[in-house]
Structure formats: structure tokens, C-alpha cells
Amino acid sequence: MTTTLWTRDQVAARILSGDTLIVYHGHLLSIPQKWLDAHPGGSLALLHFVGRDATDEIEANHQPDTLNLIPRYSVGRVELKDGIWEPFLPPISTGWVRKQGPSGKLEWYKEAAEVFAKPMQDSKFFPSSSVLLVANDKAASASSAPTLASIQLPPSPLSLKQQARLSKAYRELHKRIIDAGLYKTRYITGYGPEVLRYTLLASLAAYAYVHNWLITSAVFLGLFWHQLVFTAHDLGHMGVTHNWTADRIIATIIADFIGGLSIGWWVNNHNVHHLVTNHPSHDPDIEHIPFFAISPAFLDSLWSSYYKRTMKLDFAAKALLSVQHKLFYIVMAFARFNLYANSYAFLYQKAFDTKRARGGNWAWRLEVTGIVFFWCWFGRVLYGCGSWQMALAYLLVSHMVTSPLHIQIVLSHFSMPTGDLGPVESFPHRQMRTTTDVICDPSVEFIHGGLHLQVTHHLFPRLPRHNLRRASELVKQFAKEEGLTYAEFGFIDGNHEVLGTLRHVAEQVKIMGKVAKVEAKEAVEKRIKASDARFGIQSH
């Protein structure tokens, strides 16, 4: 490991020249392009931390064996001030990415334009440190590139020293979690009852289908999918066997072969969500235009750095968003179809990546095989319904039964702040600020799969779900000691909170519509007056 000491100016120069540099325990990691493309968590998971200290994020999301390999990417240590690294604003935060140019070499490309929030706006949605992205209307020249000014920190209401202290306290909490053995998977007492539940639901679905109780069969199949996805979630976080290959194979069988969804897409999407939680321009889990907008920021037609498109506030979006609080449960009933669309788009795009970027040729091929297998067996189930009307009913009922899962997940984020506090904000502070738990009795936790404890899950993503309850007690103690809010509310109250947020944005859309009508009327009147004046007609 090299002992070179890097100054902040030297790090900035290398970032501006195109290097992917991340700080980890005072070391400067240089991520080569081939690993950036092949990173199992996706390239965005790394790009969002260029120029930043990502120690907490790295340790929260990687196994010990992986952490042991990280020092090989170190190119030296960084110069700290009072033991703290002052972060830069990652280029992707202001719309800068690296793409292959005409010469075949990687070049800077301005895919979006940054918009800095105004300090006087609603602090919940637009704190002064928020940097949002909109479509870049100006064509970037081949020689254009980010500047030192573009990666400087925006103003932040947070103290870097206080956030560093909070980060240190979080690492001590993490050590207590490890020492308590909470990363150990409870195969018998944890997954044992779940396997029995899965088997029962699948058997009931098959039994009812054989006896031509088709709607009953569809309900049990939907419940089977609903419950099974919780284990796929753990596997995606490497929280079962804690081995990437083993967990990915099992996850592919569950998600792709049985559920028809891409585990590769889910992991790629979900990792970004965990790192930039509730950021309007970067978190794909809150980017649902034209159906939902949980922040007025979305009314500015923001750019999504994940989907690489503008989330346009067009006519359809305005119409749907103005009544989004009324359509919430209807849209949630069909949310699984959106997962299909995202899954298959992801696999299609991956077909054009290199073998290494696909996570290994076998992983991609296994997923594609799994999707084909799913539609073969599920297509046969639908064909066996006897008529297209009954097949359609079976399809809709089985998919609508899974909707409580989608509702539960959005409850943990939709009602929470979407304003970004910038790179100064520590990992624990951001997760606890943007995430909330759904309170429920331990006897019915299985309905939520244990994922109602989202605050603790976001702080420690790799923890097996069955250990989240014990871990949450330590997290609540940590929150009390550090003066942080551990947000939680009941399922019904959570629904009210989400509907209130959706209603607030819907009202903003309606106000925009009224203002537009008034402005249009005034513009017409001005044209009429101008025309009258031109022809010497007096207006009355």
C-alpha cells in the first residue's frame, strides 16, 4: 500500500481529469474503469461518492471478505483537517458523466444541468444545499468538462465536525451490532417458519387451481409471491449465505424463475436507493412521474440520473398528479406490472454490456432463462383458466394481492423529507432523516416480512430481517444518545401521512394550472390590445 499523501487540490485535479476517487478510512481509493463497469452494486453507487468519504456506506453494504480487498485500490492517504476529510460535490451531482467519445476514449459529457435551490423555499423539500438536475438544453462541446467551481460544496445547514462525530458514533454502534452476533443468519428459527409458510401458500394455490377454484388460487399465488419476495430481498443484500454467488443464484430462482422479476435490476436499483435515499434527481424509488410526485421539485421536469431521462411534467402528468392522492391505491394495485417493465428493460440493456459488466455471463443468462421459464409456467396457468375473461381475472387478482407490499415500502419514504443536505451530511443522519418505521405487533410482523423496520434496515442493509427487531433496540438507544429522531408510525397513520404528502403536491399542480390559465388569458388580452392599436381601434 502506497504512503503518498494527497492534498485536497491534488484530489480535485485528478477528479476533474476523470479519475474515480473515493475516500475510505483516510485512504484515497482509485477505482479503475473496468471495476466501475463491473461493480455488483452498479456504477452509480460509486459515482455518487466521488470526492467524498464513503467509509460508512462501504462498510454498511459490503461483507468483511470484500472489505479486506479494498486496500488494493488505495493510492495513498488524504490530507485531513482536524481528522476530517472535507468532501467535494461529485460531478454526477451537477450532471457530469464520462462517456465514450468519437475517438473511442472516455470524455466528459454534460447530461443534465444543475439547479441550486433557493434558500427561501420550503425547507422540507428545498433546503439551501439541494442540487437538482434538469434537462441540459445546451449542447456541450467536446472540450467541455467540470471545473473546480462545479465540484465545490454548496452551502449546508450542517456542521462537518458534528457530522463526523455522528459518523464515529455510528461506527461504534455498528461494532455493537456485530458483537451481538446480529449478522448471523438464523436458518432454523428465522427462515424455517418462512419456508413452511411459502410451501403452504404454494400448495393451497395449486390445490385450488386443480379443483377449479381459480380466484381462490390466484389469491394464494399472490400471497405466495408477496411473502417470497422478502427472502429475495435478503439475498439481494447478501444477507442469507453471505456469499455473493450463492445468494445471487438462490435469488434468481426466487425472483426470476418463480416471480418473473429481475434480481439484477432490483439490486442495481435498490443499492442506489439506499445510498441517495429520497433525492428527487437520483433516487429511482421515488421517481414515479407521471403517476406520483412526492415533492414540488418534480414539477420542474427533473432529470433522473438513474433512468437517464427527463421526468416531464406534460399534460398526462399534470392530469394524473392533480388527483394522485385519489389514485394512490388504484396505481399500487398494479405496481407489479411496473416491476416487469423495469426488469425487462434492464436485462435488455445489459445484453449490450461487456461480459464482466453483466456480472458474469452466467448471471445474465440465468436471469433470462428464469424469465422465459416464468412466462412458460405462468402462461400455462393462465391458458388453463378456460377463457380469456377468467385468465384476465386470474392475472389481475394474483397481481393485486401483492399490492400491500408496495404500499408498505412507500410508507417508509414517501412522507419523509426529500431535500438534500449535501455531501456534508453523514450516512446515519441521512438515513434517519429520510426513513421511518411502520409500527406493528410482533405477532403480525411476518405480514410485513420484518421490513417494516426500515430505519434499522437502512442503517444496516446486510442484516438478516429476523434480527432487525433486536438491532432496532440498539438503534433507538443510539438515536437518543445522539439527539436524532427515530421516526415511526402505525400503518393507518402512515397511510394518512403519505396521502397528505400526495395531496399537498396535487394542490401545487392545480395552482400551477390556474396560474397558467390566468397568464394565458393575459397574454391573449395583450395581443388583442396590440392588434387594436396597430389598426387604430380603441379598446373599451
Side-chain angles (χ1 to χ4, degrees), residues 452-474:
H452 58 294
L453 299 172
Q454 279 285 300
V455 175
T456 300
H457 169 60
H458 264 254
L459 288 172
F460 305 103
R462 294 184 294 107
L463 277 186
R465 285 177 294 112
H466 312 102
N467 297 334
L468 287 177
R469 169 66 67 181
R470 286 178 58 196
S472 68
E473 296 172 1
L474 296 176

mmCIF file of all heavy atoms in Angstrom, residues 452-474:
data_model
loop_
_atom_site.group_PDB
_atom_site.id
_atom_site.type_symbol
_atom_site.label_atom_id
_atom_site.label_comp_id
_atom_site.label_asym_id
_atom_site.label_seq_id
_atom_site.Cartn_x
_atom_site.Cartn_y
_atom_site.Cartn_z
ATOM 1 N N HIS A 452 -40.787 -3.727 7.941
ATOM 2 C CA HIS A 452 -41.433 -2.526 8.467
ATOM 3 C C HIS A 452 -40.434 -1.732 9.313
ATOM 4 O O HIS A 452 -40.644 -0.557 9.580
ATOM 5 C CB HIS A 452 -42.654 -2.900 9.307
ATOM 6 C CG HIS A 452 -42.332 -3.811 10.448
ATOM 7 N ND1 HIS A 452 -41.893 -5.100 10.264
ATOM 8 C CD2 HIS A 452 -42.360 -3.620 11.797
ATOM 9 C CE1 HIS A 452 -41.665 -5.661 11.443
ATOM 10 N NE2 HIS A 452 -41.942 -4.777 12.390
ATOM 11 N N LEU A 453 -39.333 -2.391 9.713
ATOM 12 C CA LEU A 453 -38.270 -1.738 10.489
ATOM 13 C C LEU A 453 -37.243 -1.146 9.530
ATOM 14 O O LEU A 453 -36.073 -1.518 9.513
ATOM 15 C CB LEU A 453 -37.629 -2.746 11.448
ATOM 16 C CG LEU A 453 -38.593 -3.352 12.472
ATOM 17 C CD1 LEU A 453 -37.928 -4.485 13.240
ATOM 18 C CD2 LEU A 453 -39.088 -2.282 13.439
ATOM 19 N N GLN A 454 -37.703 -0.208 8.714
ATOM 20 C CA GLN A 454 -36.884 0.318 7.624
ATOM 21 C C GLN A 454 -35.729 1.200 8.107
ATOM 22 O O GLN A 454 -34.687 1.270 7.463
ATOM 23 C CB GLN A 454 -37.762 1.114 6.660
ATOM 24 C CG GLN A 454 -38.520 0.258 5.674
ATOM 25 C CD GLN A 454 -37.644 -0.291 4.577
ATOM 26 O OE1 GLN A 454 -37.033 0.441 3.816
ATOM 27 N NE2 GLN A 454 -37.583 -1.598 4.472
ATOM 28 N N VAL A 455 -35.901 1.882 9.231
ATOM 29 C CA VAL A 455 -34.823 2.746 9.723
ATOM 30 C C VAL A 455 -33.576 1.915 10.005
ATOM 31 O O VAL A 455 -32.476 2.221 9.538
ATOM 32 C CB VAL A 455 -35.257 3.500 10.997
ATOM 33 C CG1 VAL A 455 -34.075 4.296 11.559
ATOM 34 C CG2 VAL A 455 -36.422 4.439 10.704
ATOM 35 N N THR A 456 -33.767 0.841 10.767
ATOM 36 C CA THR A 456 -32.639 -0.034 11.098
ATOM 37 C C THR A 456 -32.113 -0.725 9.843
ATOM 38 O O THR A 456 -30.895 -0.888 9.677
ATOM 39 C CB THR A 456 -33.068 -1.083 12.139
ATOM 40 O OG1 THR A 456 -33.518 -0.397 13.318
ATOM 41 C CG2 THR A 456 -31.918 -1.995 12.508
ATOM 42 N N HIS A 457 -33.015 -1.119 8.957
ATOM 43 C CA HIS A 457 -32.577 -1.760 7.714
ATOM 44 C C HIS A 457 -31.728 -0.813 6.881
ATOM 45 O O HIS A 457 -30.723 -1.224 6.288
ATOM 46 C CB HIS A 457 -33.790 -2.223 6.907
ATOM 47 C CG HIS A 457 -33.445 -2.657 5.513
ATOM 48 N ND1 HIS A 457 -32.581 -3.702 5.245
ATOM 49 C CD2 HIS A 457 -33.821 -2.172 4.294
ATOM 50 C CE1 HIS A 457 -32.443 -3.841 3.946
ATOM 51 N NE2 HIS A 457 -33.172 -2.925 3.338
ATOM 52 N N HIS A 458 -32.080 0.457 6.820
ATOM 53 C CA HIS A 458 -31.306 1.414 6.020
ATOM 54 C C HIS A 458 -29.953 1.705 6.646
ATOM 55 O O HIS A 458 -28.997 2.013 5.928
ATOM 56 C CB HIS A 458 -32.104 2.704 5.832
ATOM 57 C CG HIS A 458 -32.848 2.737 4.534
ATOM 58 N ND1 HIS A 458 -32.475 3.496 3.463
ATOM 59 C CD2 HIS A 458 -33.945 2.047 4.133
ATOM 60 C CE1 HIS A 458 -33.299 3.291 2.459
ATOM 61 N NE2 HIS A 458 -34.218 2.428 2.832
ATOM 62 N N LEU A 459 -29.864 1.607 7.954
ATOM 63 C CA LEU A 459 -28.567 1.818 8.602
ATOM 64 C C LEU A 459 -27.666 0.600 8.453
ATOM 65 O O LEU A 459 -26.446 0.724 8.360
ATOM 66 C CB LEU A 459 -28.776 2.125 10.088
ATOM 67 C CG LEU A 459 -29.365 3.506 10.413
ATOM 68 C CD1 LEU A 459 -29.687 3.596 11.898
ATOM 69 C CD2 LEU A 459 -28.414 4.620 10.004
ATOM 70 N N PHE A 460 -28.285 -0.595 8.408
ATOM 71 C CA PHE A 460 -27.525 -1.850 8.309
ATOM 72 C C PHE A 460 -28.210 -2.762 7.275
ATOM 73 O O PHE A 460 -28.900 -3.722 7.628
ATOM 74 C CB PHE A 460 -27.448 -2.537 9.680
ATOM 75 C CG PHE A 460 -26.885 -1.645 10.755
ATOM 76 C CD1 PHE A 460 -27.715 -1.050 11.688
ATOM 77 C CD2 PHE A 460 -25.524 -1.368 10.807
ATOM 78 C CE1 PHE A 460 -27.207 -0.210 12.668
ATOM 79 C CE2 PHE A 460 -25.001 -0.532 11.780
ATOM 80 C CZ PHE A 460 -25.848 0.050 12.713
ATOM 81 N N PRO A 461 -28.042 -2.466 5.980
ATOM 82 C CA PRO A 461 -28.748 -3.170 4.905
ATOM 83 C C PRO A 461 -28.502 -4.680 4.856
ATOM 84 O O PRO A 461 -29.368 -5.430 4.413
ATOM 85 C CB PRO A 461 -28.220 -2.492 3.631
ATOM 86 C CG PRO A 461 -27.695 -1.177 4.089
ATOM 87 C CD PRO A 461 -27.162 -1.408 5.459
ATOM 88 N N ARG A 462 -27.322 -5.145 5.327
ATOM 89 C CA ARG A 462 -26.997 -6.566 5.210
ATOM 90 C C ARG A 462 -27.532 -7.415 6.371
ATOM 91 O O ARG A 462 -27.387 -8.632 6.354
ATOM 92 C CB ARG A 462 -25.476 -6.750 5.130
ATOM 93 C CG ARG A 462 -24.839 -6.187 3.875
ATOM 94 C CD ARG A 462 -23.351 -6.489 3.819
ATOM 95 N NE ARG A 462 -22.603 -5.819 4.861
ATOM 96 C CZ ARG A 462 -22.076 -6.419 5.926
ATOM 97 N NH1 ARG A 462 -22.238 -7.732 6.095
ATOM 98 N NH2 ARG A 462 -21.396 -5.731 6.830
ATOM 99 N N LEU A 463 -28.143 -6.781 7.347
ATOM 100 C CA LEU A 463 -28.660 -7.555 8.479
ATOM 101 C C LEU A 463 -29.812 -8.455 8.036
ATOM 102 O O LEU A 463 -30.734 -7.996 7.358
ATOM 103 C CB LEU A 463 -29.184 -6.613 9.574
ATOM 104 C CG LEU A 463 -28.199 -6.016 10.568
ATOM 105 C CD1 LEU A 463 -28.972 -5.244 11.626
ATOM 106 C CD2 LEU A 463 -27.349 -7.091 11.222
ATOM 107 N N PRO A 464 -29.792 -9.727 8.415
ATOM 108 C CA PRO A 464 -30.934 -10.598 8.138
ATOM 109 C C PRO A 464 -32.197 -10.006 8.771
ATOM 110 O O PRO A 464 -32.148 -9.475 9.895
ATOM 111 C CB PRO A 464 -30.540 -11.918 8.808
ATOM 112 C CG PRO A 464 -29.039 -11.894 8.813
ATOM 113 C CD PRO A 464 -28.684 -10.459 9.054
ATOM 114 N N ARG A 465 -33.315 -10.087 8.071
ATOM 115 C CA ARG A 465 -34.551 -9.469 8.557
ATOM 116 C C ARG A 465 -34.943 -9.941 9.957
ATOM 117 O O ARG A 465 -35.492 -9.176 10.755
ATOM 118 C CB ARG A 465 -35.700 -9.784 7.607
ATOM 119 C CG ARG A 465 -35.668 -9.009 6.311
ATOM 120 C CD ARG A 465 -36.785 -9.436 5.394
ATOM 121 N NE ARG A 465 -36.621 -10.813 4.947
ATOM 122 C CZ ARG A 465 -37.400 -11.816 5.291
ATOM 123 N NH1 ARG A 465 -38.394 -11.624 6.124
ATOM 124 N NH2 ARG A 465 -37.183 -13.029 4.823
ATOM 125 N N HIS A 466 -34.669 -11.208 10.257
ATOM 126 C CA HIS A 466 -35.105 -11.766 11.534
ATOM 127 C C HIS A 466 -34.365 -11.168 12.722
ATOM 128 O O HIS A 466 -34.756 -11.378 13.869
ATOM 129 C CB HIS A 466 -34.928 -13.288 11.503
ATOM 130 C CG HIS A 466 -35.480 -13.909 10.261
ATOM 131 N ND1 HIS A 466 -34.678 -14.302 9.215
ATOM 132 C CD2 HIS A 466 -36.750 -14.166 9.891
ATOM 133 C CE1 HIS A 466 -35.434 -14.790 8.244
ATOM 134 N NE2 HIS A 466 -36.691 -14.718 8.626
ATOM 135 N N ASN A 467 -33.303 -10.410 12.449
ATOM 136 C CA ASN A 467 -32.535 -9.786 13.530
ATOM 137 C C ASN A 467 -32.774 -8.281 13.628
ATOM 138 O O ASN A 467 -32.172 -7.612 14.465
ATOM 139 C CB ASN A 467 -31.037 -10.048 13.325
ATOM 140 C CG ASN A 467 -30.694 -11.525 13.402
ATOM 141 O OD1 ASN A 467 -31.400 -12.297 14.046
ATOM 142 N ND2 ASN A 467 -29.628 -11.926 12.737
ATOM 143 N N LEU A 468 -33.642 -7.749 12.772
ATOM 144 C CA LEU A 468 -33.885 -6.314 12.769
ATOM 145 C C LEU A 468 -34.553 -5.830 14.058
ATOM 146 O O LEU A 468 -34.278 -4.721 14.522
ATOM 147 C CB LEU A 468 -34.742 -5.919 11.564
ATOM 148 C CG LEU A 468 -34.039 -5.955 10.192
ATOM 149 C CD1 LEU A 468 -35.025 -5.623 9.082
ATOM 150 C CD2 LEU A 468 -32.871 -4.970 10.161
ATOM 151 N N ARG A 469 -35.420 -6.639 14.627
ATOM 152 C CA ARG A 469 -36.111 -6.230 15.849
ATOM 153 C C ARG A 469 -35.102 -5.980 16.980
ATOM 154 O O ARG A 469 -35.158 -4.955 17.652
ATOM 155 C CB ARG A 469 -37.130 -7.303 16.252
ATOM 156 C CG ARG A 469 -37.738 -7.133 17.641
ATOM 157 C CD ARG A 469 -38.577 -5.897 17.738
ATOM 158 N NE ARG A 469 -39.775 -5.953 16.915
ATOM 159 C CZ ARG A 469 -40.646 -4.968 16.825
ATOM 160 N NH1 ARG A 469 -40.431 -3.836 17.481
ATOM 161 N NH2 ARG A 469 -41.720 -5.080 16.067
ATOM 162 N N ARG A 470 -34.188 -6.917 17.180
ATOM 163 C CA ARG A 470 -33.172 -6.750 18.231
ATOM 164 C C ARG A 470 -32.246 -5.583 17.914
ATOM 165 O O ARG A 470 -31.876 -4.801 18.794
ATOM 166 C CB ARG A 470 -32.355 -8.029 18.389
ATOM 167 C CG ARG A 470 -33.087 -9.173 19.082
ATOM 168 C CD ARG A 470 -32.206 -10.408 19.136
ATOM 169 N NE ARG A 470 -30.948 -10.140 19.829
ATOM 170 C CZ ARG A 470 -29.877 -10.937 19.746
ATOM 171 N NH1 ARG A 470 -29.913 -12.033 18.980
ATOM 172 N NH2 ARG A 470 -28.773 -10.647 20.408
ATOM 173 N N ALA A 471 -31.894 -5.443 16.655
ATOM 174 C CA ALA A 471 -30.994 -4.356 16.253
ATOM 175 C C ALA A 471 -31.660 -2.994 16.432
ATOM 176 O O ALA A 471 -30.995 -2.012 16.797
ATOM 177 C CB ALA A 471 -30.569 -4.542 14.797
ATOM 178 N N SER A 472 -32.970 -2.925 16.196
ATOM 179 C CA SER A 472 -33.672 -1.642 16.305
ATOM 180 C C SER A 472 -33.626 -1.096 17.726
ATOM 181 O O SER A 472 -33.653 0.129 17.929
ATOM 182 C CB SER A 472 -35.128 -1.785 15.845
ATOM 183 O OG SER A 472 -35.878 -2.587 16.743
ATOM 184 N N GLU A 473 -33.547 -1.970 18.720
ATOM 185 C CA GLU A 473 -33.453 -1.516 20.110
ATOM 186 C C GLU A 473 -32.133 -0.775 20.331
ATOM 187 O O GLU A 473 -32.092 0.248 21.027
ATOM 188 C CB GLU A 473 -33.569 -2.719 21.044
ATOM 189 C CG GLU A 473 -34.916 -3.433 20.972
ATOM 190 C CD GLU A 473 -34.946 -4.725 21.763
ATOM 191 O OE1 GLU A 473 -33.907 -5.059 22.383
ATOM 192 O OE2 GLU A 473 -35.987 -5.405 21.768
ATOM 193 N N LEU A 474 -31.055 -1.297 19.722
ATOM 194 C CA LEU A 474 -29.759 -0.625 19.822
ATOM 195 C C LEU A 474 -29.760 0.695 19.056
ATOM 196 O O LEU A 474 -29.150 1.679 19.493
ATOM 197 C CB LEU A 474 -28.654 -1.539 19.288
ATOM 198 C CG LEU A 474 -28.411 -2.843 20.066
ATOM 199 C CD1 LEU A 474 -27.362 -3.686 19.350
ATOM 200 C CD2 LEU A 474 -27.979 -2.539 21.486
#
